[in-house]
Amino acid sequence: MNVRLEQVGSCLILHNRSEKRGAISVELYQAIQEACARADDGSVRSIILTGGAFFCAGGDLDLLAKRAELPVDERRALIERLHDTIRAMMACPVPIIAAVEGGAAGAGLSITLACDFVVAAEQAQFTAAYVKAGLTPDGGLTHFLSQALPRQLAMELCLLARPISAERLANFGVVTTLVPKGQAFDQAQILTAELAQGPAQAQSRIRNLLNAAPNRTLSQQLDSEADFMAEAQGGAEAACGIRAFFEKRQPEFPT
């Protein structure tokens, strides 16, 4: 199988081994959505997305060329498969980590930026070369770029189709960790182990707040923070964390 899910402990790993450098596929969409859905059952604390030598090359231009023959509503419906996948990632209750070797392009970059953490090999390159094919970005790419990068750099990526290095993205905080070639997945697993030591409910609430913040007013965000904080203060995780603080030890949060 080109795409498969594997659970190791509390981490759900999605392997994408497409022959075309991890190219986007319906199979990949389905696997990502399934992984996000499985995170609801409490046994999953994090998700890693990983590929082969190249993380994800985006859309297959052979398939995109054939879509020109379809009516526009059918073309839009196919794009919505990607968008439903991005929505599932943003609504996922657990952190998602991209382990990037080689790089990510097009919609593959959208999927990368929809993750909460990006571990990338130092040689990895990221591109948004839609304009070279006379196309425009999809998968929320313009949203994520506008949130993560200065406007001029986003324009450089999208209008000039120039690749950007993992090192440069790390300087803007988009890449969480830079690693030598071949070590992205191992480092992602270290990160999942760190996350697994934390309070699951608090992590989920924080993720929800941060993802929702760009589309809310300050007043709306304050209301959501108040709701979550009031709920958290009465929970077992807060009792455990506060007790550990006063006892000057590391907390052991309930699972």
Side-chain angles (χ1 to χ4, degrees), residues 106-120:
L109 180 55
S110 297
I111 288 174
T112 302
L113 296 178
C115 292
D116 303 290
F117 301 96
V118 179
V119 179

